[in-house]
Amino acid sequence: IKTNLRTHFINFETMKKQFFYLLLLLLAFSATAVAKAPQKAAAATVPADSLRVTIFGDSYSTFYGWLSPATNESWYFPAGHPGHVEGNDVTRVEETWWFQVIQQMGYKLEMNNSYSGSTVGYYGYQNQNYQPRSFNTRVANLGEPDLILSCCITNDSWTGETLGDYKYANWDENDMWYFRPAMARLCAALRLNYPNARVLFILNTDLKPEFCESMRIICKHYGFPLLELHDIDKQVGHPSIAGHRAIAEQVIDYLKK
């Protein structure tokens, strides 16, 4: 009996030591957690579920190495690249308007499907067929965005494309050679393919008034917001560093409203 009591006493003492050891571990863990709390709070300021953004544009939204598909033609290139256009001071992707918007707003880039020289319709420069690079051709490949930012009708205004009639249904391929029906079909395709995405169209400066007014009417018909840019500095017909900064500021101001 004495042996059994001694054994139980020893076991009890062992359990007490284990209990106090665990208690010390818990206290040490709590102290560490409290010490790390400020870092955890700071990290929480960056949203884990930030919006996925697709950039859907023309040359103004390009930068070499950042386009999807990679075969899309770029207008902006890094310094030293043979494709860099002398006279325009943009040489880093961080200087582009869309990169600044994504960075400052805490967004995630879903993809940048921009294509230099692209048009909404099929009518290109020198009467060429721009169907392969058309916005209407590329609209099905924008990923799964929460937000689509699209600066898109600059080349339509510059190529000499005919306006055509306002037409909001039953389009055929012939309609795609005219701006108004092509723009309407693009809006319808965005609504159909990305029903849960927010779409913001961005209207460039220095475009023909009739194209700007047509854009306003078509966007209003589909309920898409249209941001009209102002005071954009340009070099060789394209935004400079200052111009991209101005675009970014105006887009950010609009998105924050």
Side-chain angles (χ1 to χ4, degrees), residues 117-125 127-138 156 159 161-162 172-179 182-183 185:
S118 58
T119 49
V120 173
Y122 293 169
Y123 186 88
Y125 291 99
N127 298 321
Q128 293 184 49
N129 184 348
Y130 271 25
Q131 180 179 1
R133 70 180 67 195
S134 166
F135 282 81
N136 270 286
T137 300
R138 295 183 286 124
D156 295 88
T159 61
E161 185 176 68
T162 303
D172 56 33
E173 287 300 291
N174 184 63
D175 291 321
M176 295 302 98
W177 290 87
Y178 301 91
F179 173 70
M183 187 66 219
R185 192 175 84 166

Short mmCIF file of all heavy atoms in Angstrom, two decimals, residues 117-125 127-138 156 159 161-162 172-179 182-183 185:
data_model
loop_
_atom_site.label_atom_id
_atom_site.label_comp_id
_atom_site.label_asym_id
_atom_site.label_seq_id
_atom_site.Cartn_x
_atom_site.Cartn_y
_atom_site.Cartn_z
N GLY A 117 -2.77 50.73 -81.68
CA GLY A 117 -3.44 50.97 -82.95
C GLY A 117 -4.83 50.37 -83.06
O GLY A 117 -5.47 50.49 -84.11
N SER A 118 -5.31 49.74 -82.01
CA SER A 118 -6.59 49.02 -82.11
C SER A 118 -7.78 49.97 -82.20
O SER A 118 -7.77 51.08 -81.67
CB SER A 118 -6.76 48.07 -80.92
OG SER A 118 -6.69 48.77 -79.69
N THR A 119 -8.79 49.49 -82.88
CA THR A 119 -10.02 50.23 -83.10
C THR A 119 -11.21 49.42 -82.59
O THR A 119 -11.13 48.20 -82.46
CB THR A 119 -10.22 50.51 -84.60
OG1 THR A 119 -10.04 49.27 -85.32
CG2 THR A 119 -9.22 51.52 -85.11
N VAL A 120 -12.31 50.12 -82.31
CA VAL A 120 -13.53 49.43 -81.90
C VAL A 120 -14.12 48.70 -83.11
O VAL A 120 -14.49 47.53 -83.03
CB VAL A 120 -14.55 50.43 -81.32
CG1 VAL A 120 -15.89 49.74 -81.06
CG2 VAL A 120 -14.01 51.05 -80.04
N GLY A 121 -14.20 49.41 -84.24
CA GLY A 121 -14.66 48.77 -85.48
C GLY A 121 -13.51 48.08 -86.20
O GLY A 121 -12.41 47.93 -85.65
N TYR A 122 -13.75 47.69 -87.42
CA TYR A 122 -12.73 46.98 -88.20
C TYR A 122 -11.94 47.90 -89.12
O TYR A 122 -10.94 47.48 -89.70
CB TYR A 122 -13.39 45.90 -89.07
CG TYR A 122 -14.01 44.76 -88.31
CD1 TYR A 122 -14.84 43.84 -88.96
CD2 TYR A 122 -13.80 44.58 -86.93
CE1 TYR A 122 -15.41 42.78 -88.28
CE2 TYR A 122 -14.38 43.53 -86.25
CZ TYR A 122 -15.19 42.63 -86.92
OH TYR A 122 -15.78 41.59 -86.25
N TYR A 123 -12.37 49.14 -89.25
CA TYR A 123 -11.73 50.05 -90.20
C TYR A 123 -10.44 50.59 -89.60
O TYR A 123 -10.44 51.27 -88.57
CB TYR A 123 -12.67 51.20 -90.56
CG TYR A 123 -12.15 52.11 -91.64
CD1 TYR A 123 -12.40 51.80 -92.99
CD2 TYR A 123 -11.42 53.24 -91.34
CE1 TYR A 123 -11.93 52.63 -93.99
CE2 TYR A 123 -10.94 54.08 -92.35
CZ TYR A 123 -11.20 53.76 -93.67
OH TYR A 123 -10.72 54.58 -94.67
N GLY A 124 -9.31 50.30 -90.26
CA GLY A 124 -8.01 50.72 -89.74
C GLY A 124 -7.37 51.80 -90.57
O GLY A 124 -7.97 52.34 -91.51
N TYR A 125 -6.15 52.12 -90.24
CA TYR A 125 -5.41 53.13 -90.98
C TYR A 125 -5.14 52.64 -92.40
O TYR A 125 -4.94 51.45 -92.65
CB TYR A 125 -4.08 53.43 -90.27
CG TYR A 125 -4.27 54.15 -88.95
CD1 TYR A 125 -4.23 53.44 -87.75
CD2 TYR A 125 -4.50 55.52 -88.90
CE1 TYR A 125 -4.40 54.09 -86.53
CE2 TYR A 125 -4.68 56.18 -87.70
CZ TYR A 125 -4.64 55.46 -86.51
OH TYR A 125 -4.83 56.10 -85.30
N ASN A 127 -7.08 52.24 -94.80
CA ASN A 127 -8.15 51.34 -95.24
C ASN A 127 -7.87 49.86 -94.94
O ASN A 127 -8.45 48.97 -95.56
CB ASN A 127 -8.40 51.49 -96.76
CG ASN A 127 -8.87 52.88 -97.12
OD1 ASN A 127 -9.65 53.49 -96.40
ND2 ASN A 127 -8.36 53.40 -98.22
N GLN A 128 -7.00 49.60 -93.98
CA GLN A 128 -6.68 48.22 -93.64
C GLN A 128 -7.78 47.60 -92.77
O GLN A 128 -8.53 48.30 -92.09
CB GLN A 128 -5.35 48.16 -92.89
CG GLN A 128 -4.15 48.55 -93.72
CD GLN A 128 -2.85 48.38 -92.95
OE1 GLN A 128 -2.60 47.34 -92.35
NE2 GLN A 128 -2.01 49.40 -92.97
N ASN A 129 -7.83 46.27 -92.82
CA ASN A 129 -8.78 45.52 -92.00
C ASN A 129 -8.16 45.30 -90.62
O ASN A 129 -7.21 44.53 -90.48
CB ASN A 129 -9.10 44.18 -92.67
CG ASN A 129 -10.15 43.38 -91.91
OD1 ASN A 129 -10.49 43.71 -90.77
ND2 ASN A 129 -10.65 42.33 -92.53
N TYR A 130 -8.71 45.95 -89.61
CA TYR A 130 -8.19 45.85 -88.25
C TYR A 130 -8.99 44.87 -87.38
O TYR A 130 -8.90 44.92 -86.16
CB TYR A 130 -8.19 47.23 -87.59
CG TYR A 130 -6.90 48.01 -87.81
CD1 TYR A 130 -6.09 47.77 -88.91
CD2 TYR A 130 -6.51 49.00 -86.92
CE1 TYR A 130 -4.93 48.48 -89.12
CE2 TYR A 130 -5.35 49.73 -87.11
CZ TYR A 130 -4.56 49.47 -88.21
OH TYR A 130 -3.40 50.18 -88.41
N GLN A 131 -9.70 43.97 -88.03
CA GLN A 131 -10.49 43.00 -87.25
C GLN A 131 -9.65 42.23 -86.23
O GLN A 131 -10.08 42.06 -85.09
CB GLN A 131 -11.21 42.02 -88.18
CG GLN A 131 -12.05 40.99 -87.42
CD GLN A 131 -12.78 40.03 -88.34
OE1 GLN A 131 -12.65 40.12 -89.56
NE2 GLN A 131 -13.55 39.12 -87.77
N PRO A 132 -8.44 41.75 -86.58
CA PRO A 132 -7.67 40.97 -85.59
C PRO A 132 -7.36 41.73 -84.31
O PRO A 132 -7.27 41.12 -83.24
CB PRO A 132 -6.39 40.61 -86.36
CG PRO A 132 -6.80 40.64 -87.80
CD PRO A 132 -7.78 41.76 -87.90
N ARG A 133 -7.18 43.05 -84.39
CA ARG A 133 -6.85 43.81 -83.20
C ARG A 133 -8.03 44.59 -82.64
O ARG A 133 -7.89 45.29 -81.62
CB ARG A 133 -5.69 44.77 -83.49
CG ARG A 133 -6.02 45.92 -84.39
CD ARG A 133 -4.79 46.81 -84.63
NE ARG A 133 -3.77 46.12 -85.40
CZ ARG A 133 -2.51 46.54 -85.50
NH1 ARG A 133 -2.12 47.63 -84.86
NH2 ARG A 133 -1.64 45.87 -86.22
N SER A 134 -9.18 44.48 -83.27
CA SER A 134 -10.36 45.22 -82.86
C SER A 134 -10.78 44.90 -81.42
O SER A 134 -10.63 43.77 -80.94
CB SER A 134 -11.52 44.90 -83.81
OG SER A 134 -12.75 45.35 -83.28
N PHE A 135 -11.33 45.89 -80.75
CA PHE A 135 -11.88 45.67 -79.40
C PHE A 135 -12.99 44.63 -79.44
O PHE A 135 -13.14 43.83 -78.50
CB PHE A 135 -12.43 46.98 -78.83
CG PHE A 135 -11.36 47.90 -78.31
CD1 PHE A 135 -10.64 48.71 -79.18
CD2 PHE A 135 -11.07 47.97 -76.96
CE1 PHE A 135 -9.66 49.57 -78.70
CE2 PHE A 135 -10.09 48.82 -76.46
CZ PHE A 135 -9.37 49.62 -77.34
N ASN A 136 -13.78 44.61 -80.51
CA ASN A 136 -14.86 43.63 -80.63
C ASN A 136 -14.33 42.21 -80.77
O ASN A 136 -14.99 41.26 -80.37
CB ASN A 136 -15.76 43.99 -81.81
CG ASN A 136 -16.90 44.90 -81.40
OD1 ASN A 136 -17.85 44.47 -80.77
ND2 ASN A 136 -16.79 46.18 -81.76
N THR A 137 -13.14 42.07 -81.31
CA THR A 137 -12.53 40.75 -81.44
C THR A 137 -11.94 40.30 -80.10
O THR A 137 -12.01 39.13 -79.73
CB THR A 137 -11.42 40.77 -82.51
OG1 THR A 137 -12.01 41.15 -83.77
CG2 THR A 137 -10.76 39.41 -82.64
N ARG A 138 -11.36 41.24 -79.35
CA ARG A 138 -10.65 40.91 -78.11
C ARG A 138 -11.53 40.86 -76.88
O ARG A 138 -11.09 40.41 -75.81
CB ARG A 138 -9.53 41.94 -77.89
CG ARG A 138 -8.45 41.90 -78.94
CD ARG A 138 -7.33 42.89 -78.64
NE ARG A 138 -7.72 44.26 -78.89
CZ ARG A 138 -7.66 45.24 -78.00
NH1 ARG A 138 -7.25 44.99 -76.76
NH2 ARG A 138 -8.01 46.47 -78.30
N ASP A 156 -10.31 55.05 -83.71
CA ASP A 156 -11.52 55.17 -84.54
C ASP A 156 -11.70 56.61 -84.99
O ASP A 156 -12.10 56.87 -86.13
CB ASP A 156 -12.75 54.73 -83.74
CG ASP A 156 -12.71 53.26 -83.36
OD1 ASP A 156 -12.14 52.94 -82.30
OD2 ASP A 156 -13.22 52.43 -84.14
N THR A 159 -8.68 57.31 -87.73
CA THR A 159 -8.50 56.56 -88.97
C THR A 159 -9.34 57.07 -90.13
O THR A 159 -9.07 56.73 -91.29
CB THR A 159 -8.86 55.07 -88.77
OG1 THR A 159 -10.24 54.97 -88.38
CG2 THR A 159 -7.97 54.42 -87.74
N GLU A 161 -12.68 56.54 -89.95
CA GLU A 161 -13.81 55.61 -89.90
C GLU A 161 -15.14 56.37 -89.98
O GLU A 161 -15.30 57.43 -89.37
CB GLU A 161 -13.73 54.82 -88.60
CG GLU A 161 -14.76 53.73 -88.43
CD GLU A 161 -14.50 52.96 -87.14
OE1 GLU A 161 -14.67 53.56 -86.05
OE2 GLU A 161 -14.12 51.79 -87.23
N THR A 162 -16.09 55.81 -90.70
CA THR A 162 -17.42 56.41 -90.82
C THR A 162 -18.23 56.14 -89.56
O THR A 162 -18.13 55.06 -88.97
CB THR A 162 -18.16 55.82 -92.04
OG1 THR A 162 -17.36 56.06 -93.22
CG2 THR A 162 -19.53 56.47 -92.22
N ASP A 172 -24.51 42.71 -87.88
CA ASP A 172 -23.82 41.76 -88.76
C ASP A 172 -22.39 42.26 -88.95
O ASP A 172 -22.01 43.33 -88.46
CB ASP A 172 -24.55 41.58 -90.09
CG ASP A 172 -24.76 42.90 -90.84
OD1 ASP A 172 -23.89 43.80 -90.72
OD2 ASP A 172 -25.77 43.04 -91.54
N GLU A 173 -21.59 41.51 -89.65
CA GLU A 173 -20.18 41.86 -89.82
C GLU A 173 -20.00 43.18 -90.57
O GLU A 173 -19.03 43.91 -90.33
CB GLU A 173 -19.44 40.73 -90.54
CG GLU A 173 -19.21 39.50 -89.69
CD GLU A 173 -18.39 39.82 -88.44
OE1 GLU A 173 -17.19 40.13 -88.57
OE2 GLU A 173 -18.95 39.77 -87.33
N ASN A 174 -20.92 43.51 -91.45
CA ASN A 174 -20.82 44.77 -92.16
C ASN A 174 -20.93 45.96 -91.22
O ASN A 174 -20.28 47.00 -91.43
CB ASN A 174 -21.91 44.86 -93.23
CG ASN A 174 -21.79 46.12 -94.08
OD1 ASN A 174 -20.80 46.33 -94.78
ND2 ASN A 174 -22.80 46.98 -94.01
N ASP A 175 -21.72 45.81 -90.16
CA ASP A 175 -21.87 46.88 -89.17
C ASP A 175 -20.56 47.21 -88.47
O ASP A 175 -20.37 48.34 -87.99
CB ASP A 175 -22.91 46.50 -88.11
CG ASP A 175 -24.32 46.45 -88.66
OD1 ASP A 175 -24.67 47.32 -89.49
OD2 ASP A 175 -25.08 45.54 -88.27
N MET A 176 -19.67 46.24 -88.42
CA MET A 176 -18.42 46.44 -87.69
C MET A 176 -17.45 47.39 -88.39
O MET A 176 -16.41 47.75 -87.83
CB MET A 176 -17.72 45.10 -87.45
CG MET A 176 -18.51 44.15 -86.54
SD MET A 176 -18.87 44.86 -84.90
CE MET A 176 -20.54 45.46 -85.12
N TRP A 177 -17.79 47.82 -89.58
CA TRP A 177 -16.95 48.78 -90.30
C TRP A 177 -17.39 50.22 -90.02
O TRP A 177 -16.83 51.17 -90.59
CB TRP A 177 -17.00 48.49 -91.79
CG TRP A 177 -16.29 47.21 -92.12
CD1 TRP A 177 -16.81 45.94 -92.10
CD2 TRP A 177 -14.92 47.06 -92.46
NE1 TRP A 177 -15.85 45.02 -92.43
CE2 TRP A 177 -14.67 45.68 -92.65
CE3 TRP A 177 -13.86 47.96 -92.63
CZ2 TRP A 177 -13.43 45.18 -92.99
CZ3 TRP A 177 -12.61 47.47 -92.97
CH2 TRP A 177 -12.41 46.09 -93.15
N TYR A 178 -18.36 50.39 -89.15
CA TYR A 178 -18.87 51.70 -88.78
C TYR A 178 -18.81 51.87 -87.27
O TYR A 178 -19.11 50.93 -86.52
CB TYR A 178 -20.31 51.87 -89.28
CG TYR A 178 -20.44 51.71 -90.77
CD1 TYR A 178 -20.70 50.47 -91.34
CD2 TYR A 178 -20.28 52.81 -91.62
CE1 TYR A 178 -20.80 50.32 -92.72
CE2 TYR A 178 -20.38 52.67 -92.99
CZ TYR A 178 -20.64 51.42 -93.54
OH TYR A 178 -20.73 51.27 -94.89
N PHE A 179 -18.46 53.06 -86.83
CA PHE A 179 -18.18 53.24 -85.41
C PHE A 179 -19.38 53.00 -84.50
O PHE A 179 -19.29 52.26 -83.52
CB PHE A 179 -17.62 54.65 -85.14
CG PHE A 179 -17.47 54.93 -83.68
CD1 PHE A 179 -16.49 54.27 -82.94
CD2 PHE A 179 -18.33 55.81 -83.02
CE1 PHE A 179 -16.36 54.51 -81.58
CE2 PHE A 179 -18.19 56.05 -81.66
CZ PHE A 179 -17.21 55.40 -80.94
N ALA A 182 -20.57 49.38 -84.14
CA ALA A 182 -19.47 48.59 -83.56
C ALA A 182 -19.33 48.90 -82.07
O ALA A 182 -19.11 47.99 -81.25
CB ALA A 182 -18.17 48.89 -84.30
N MET A 183 -19.46 50.17 -81.70
CA MET A 183 -19.36 50.55 -80.29
C MET A 183 -20.54 49.98 -79.50
O MET A 183 -20.36 49.53 -78.34
CB MET A 183 -19.32 52.08 -80.18
CG MET A 183 -19.04 52.57 -78.75
SD MET A 183 -17.39 52.11 -78.19
CE MET A 183 -17.71 51.68 -76.48
N ARG A 185 -22.19 47.24 -80.18
CA ARG A 185 -22.00 45.79 -80.01
C ARG A 185 -20.94 45.50 -78.95
O ARG A 185 -21.06 44.54 -78.18
CB ARG A 185 -21.61 45.11 -81.32
CG ARG A 185 -21.70 43.58 -81.21
CD ARG A 185 -21.43 42.87 -82.50
NE ARG A 185 -20.01 42.68 -82.74
CZ ARG A 185 -19.50 41.85 -83.66
NH1 ARG A 185 -20.32 41.12 -84.41
NH2 ARG A 185 -18.21 41.76 -83.84
#
